[in-house]
Coordinates of all heavy atoms in Angstrom, one line a residue:
N20 N -102.3 -25.4 84.7 CA -100.9 -25.8 84.9 C -100.7 -27.2 84.5 O -99.5 -27.8 84.5 CB -100.5 -25.7 86.5 CG -100.5 -24.3 87.0 OD1 -100.1 -23.4 86.2 ND2 -101.1 -24.0 88.2
A21 N -101.8 -27.9 84.2 CA -101.7 -29.3 83.7 C -101.4 -29.3 82.2 O -101.9 -28.6 81.4 CB -102.9 -30.2 84.0
K22 N -100.4 -30.3 81.8 CA -100.3 -30.5 80.4 C -101.3 -31.6 79.9 O -102.0 -32.3 80.7 CB -98.9 -31.2 80.1 CG -97.7 -30.4 80.7 CD -97.7 -29.0 80.1 CE -96.4 -28.2 80.5 NZ -96.4 -26.8 80.0
I23 N -101.6 -31.6 78.6 CA -102.6 -32.5 78.1 C -102.0 -33.3 77.0 O -101.4 -32.7 76.0 CB -103.8 -31.7 77.5 CG1 -104.4 -30.9 78.6 CG2 -104.8 -32.7 76.9 CD1 -105.5 -30.0 78.1
V24 N -102.1 -34.7 77.0 CA -101.7 -35.5 75.9 C -102.9 -35.8 75.2 O -103.9 -36.6 75.6 CB -101.1 -36.8 76.4 CG1 -100.6 -37.6 75.2 CG2 -99.8 -36.5 77.3
L25 N -103.0 -35.3 74.0 CA -104.3 -35.5 73.1 C -104.0 -36.6 72.1 O -103.2 -36.6 71.2 CB -104.6 -34.2 72.4 CG -105.7 -34.4 71.3 CD1 -107.1 -34.7 72.0 CD2 -106.0 -33.0 70.6
L26 N -104.7 -37.8 72.4 CA -104.4 -39.0 71.5 C -105.4 -38.9 70.3 O -106.5 -38.5 70.4 CB -104.7 -40.3 72.3 CG -103.6 -40.7 73.3 CD1 -104.2 -41.5 74.4 CD2 -102.5 -41.4 72.5
S27 N -104.9 -39.2 69.1 CA -105.8 -39.6 68.0 C -106.7 -40.6 68.4 O -106.4 -41.6 69.1 CB -105.0 -40.0 66.8 OG -104.3 -38.8 66.3
I28 N -107.9 -40.7 67.8 CA -108.9 -41.7 68.1 C -108.3 -43.0 67.5 O -107.9 -43.0 66.3 CB -110.2 -41.4 67.6 CG1 -110.7 -40.0 68.0 CG2 -111.3 -42.4 67.9 CD1 -112.0 -39.6 67.3
F29 N -108.4 -44.1 68.3 CA -107.9 -45.4 67.8 C -108.7 -45.9 66.5 O -109.9 -45.5 66.4 CB -108.1 -46.4 68.9 CG -107.0 -46.3 70.0 CD1 -107.0 -47.2 71.0 CD2 -106.1 -45.3 70.0 CE1 -106.0 -47.1 72.1 CE2 -105.1 -45.3 71.0 CZ -105.1 -46.1 72.0
P30 N -108.0 -46.6 65.7 CA -108.7 -47.1 64.5 C -109.8 -48.1 64.8 O -109.7 -48.7 65.9 CB -107.5 -47.7 63.7 CG -106.6 -48.1 64.8 CD -106.6 -47.0 65.7
R31 N -110.9 -48.0 64.1 CA -112.0 -49.0 64.4 C -112.4 -49.5 62.9 O -112.1 -49.0 62.0 CB -113.2 -48.3 65.0 CG -113.9 -47.2 64.1 CD -115.1 -46.6 64.9 NE -116.1 -47.6 65.2 CZ -117.0 -47.4 66.1 NH1 -117.0 -46.4 66.8 NH2 -117.9 -48.4 66.3
S32 N -113.1 -50.7 63.0 CA -113.4 -51.4 61.8 C -112.2 -52.2 61.2 O -111.1 -51.7 61.2 CB -114.1 -50.5 60.8 OG -115.1 -49.8 61.4
E33 N -112.5 -53.3 60.7 CA -111.4 -54.1 60.2 C -110.6 -53.5 58.9 O -109.4 -53.4 58.9 CB -111.9 -55.5 59.8 CG -110.7 -56.4 59.3 CD -111.4 -57.8 58.9 OE1 -112.5 -58.0 58.9 OE2 -110.6 -58.7 58.7
K34 N -111.4 -52.9 58.0 CA -110.9 -52.5 56.7 C -110.6 -51.0 56.8 O -111.3 -50.2 57.3 CB -111.8 -52.8 55.5 CG -112.3 -54.2 55.5 CD -111.3 -55.1 54.8 CE -111.8 -56.5 54.7 NZ -110.8 -57.4 54.2
P35 N -109.5 -50.5 56.1 CA -109.3 -49.1 56.1 C -110.2 -48.2 55.4 O -110.3 -47.0 55.6 CB -107.8 -49.0 55.4 CG -107.7 -50.3 54.6 CD -108.6 -51.4 55.4
D36 N -111.0 -48.8 54.5 CA -112.0 -48.0 53.8 C -113.3 -48.1 54.4 O -114.3 -47.5 53.7 CB -112.1 -48.5 52.2 CG -112.5 -49.9 52.1 OD1 -112.5 -50.7 53.1 OD2 -112.6 -50.4 51.0
D37 N -113.5 -48.7 55.5 CA -114.8 -48.7 56.1 C -115.2 -47.3 56.5 O -114.3 -46.5 56.9 CB -114.7 -49.6 57.5 CG -116.1 -49.6 58.2 OD1 -116.9 -50.3 58.0 OD2 -116.3 -48.7 59.1
K38 N -116.4 -46.9 56.4 CA -116.8 -45.5 56.6 C -116.5 -45.0 58.0 O -116.3 -43.7 58.2 CB -118.3 -45.4 56.3 CG -119.2 -46.1 57.2 CD -120.7 -45.8 56.7 CE -121.7 -46.6 57.7 NZ -123.2 -46.3 57.2
M39 N -116.6 -45.8 59.1 CA -116.3 -45.4 60.4 C -114.8 -45.1 60.6 O -114.5 -44.3 61.3 CB -116.9 -46.4 61.4 CG -118.4 -46.4 61.5 SD -119.0 -47.4 62.9 CE -120.8 -47.3 62.6
R40 N -114.0 -46.0 60.0 CA -112.5 -45.8 60.1 C -112.2 -44.5 59.4 O -111.4 -43.7 59.9 CB -111.9 -46.9 59.4 CG -110.4 -46.8 59.3 CD -109.5 -47.2 60.4 NE -109.5 -48.7 60.5 CZ -108.6 -49.4 59.9 NH1 -107.7 -48.9 59.1 NH2 -108.7 -50.8 60.0
V41 N -112.9 -44.2 58.2 CA -112.4 -43.1 57.6 C -113.0 -41.8 58.2 O -112.3 -40.8 58.3 CB -113.2 -43.2 56.1 CG1 -113.2 -41.7 55.4 CG2 -112.7 -44.1 55.2
R42 N -114.2 -41.9 58.9 CA -114.6 -40.7 59.7 C -113.7 -40.5 60.9 O -113.4 -39.4 61.1 CB -116.0 -41.0 60.2 CG -116.6 -39.9 61.0 CD -116.6 -38.5 60.3 NE -117.1 -38.6 59.0 CZ -118.4 -38.6 58.6 NH1 -119.3 -38.4 59.6 NH2 -118.8 -38.5 57.4
N43 N -113.2 -41.5 61.5 CA -112.3 -41.3 62.7 C -111.0 -40.7 62.1 O -110.5 -39.8 62.8 CB -112.0 -42.6 63.4 CG -113.0 -43.0 64.4 OD1 -114.0 -42.2 64.6 ND2 -112.9 -44.0 65.1
S44 N -110.5 -41.1 61.0 CA -109.4 -40.4 60.5 C -109.6 -39.0 60.1 O -108.6 -38.1 60.3 CB -108.9 -41.2 59.2 OG -108.6 -42.6 59.4
E45 N -110.7 -38.7 59.6 CA -111.1 -37.2 59.3 C -111.1 -36.4 60.6 O -110.6 -35.2 60.6 CB -112.5 -37.2 58.7 CG -112.4 -37.8 57.3 CD -113.9 -37.9 56.7 OE1 -114.8 -37.7 57.5 OE2 -113.9 -38.1 55.5
I46 N -111.6 -37.0 61.7 CA -111.6 -36.3 63.0 C -110.1 -36.2 63.4 O -109.7 -35.0 63.8 CB -112.3 -37.1 64.0 CG1 -113.8 -37.3 63.7 CG2 -112.2 -36.5 65.4 CD1 -114.5 -38.3 64.5
N47 N -109.3 -37.2 63.3 CA -107.9 -37.0 63.7 C -107.1 -36.0 63.0 O -106.3 -35.3 63.6 CB -107.2 -38.4 63.6 CG -107.7 -39.4 64.6 OD1 -108.3 -39.0 65.7 ND2 -107.5 -40.7 64.3

């Protein structure tokens, strides 16, 4: 009966092309 708000993972690492930022974007 509960609703779920599923948040995208917040951005990490300073630069948009950092491999961890890219990986989180792929997950999202």
Side-chain angles (χ1 to χ4, degrees):
N20 296 322
K22 306 297 184 182
I23 302 171
V24 180
L25 173 62
L26 283 156
S27 287
I28 304 171
F29 285 179
R31 64 180 299 159
S32 308
E33 182 180 13
K34 308 278 187 192
D36 59 352
D37 180 89
K38 64 179 182 179
M39 291 192 183
R40 174 90 73 86
V41 172
R42 179 55 48 84
N43 277 2
S44 296
E45 292 170 348
I46 297 167
N47 288 336

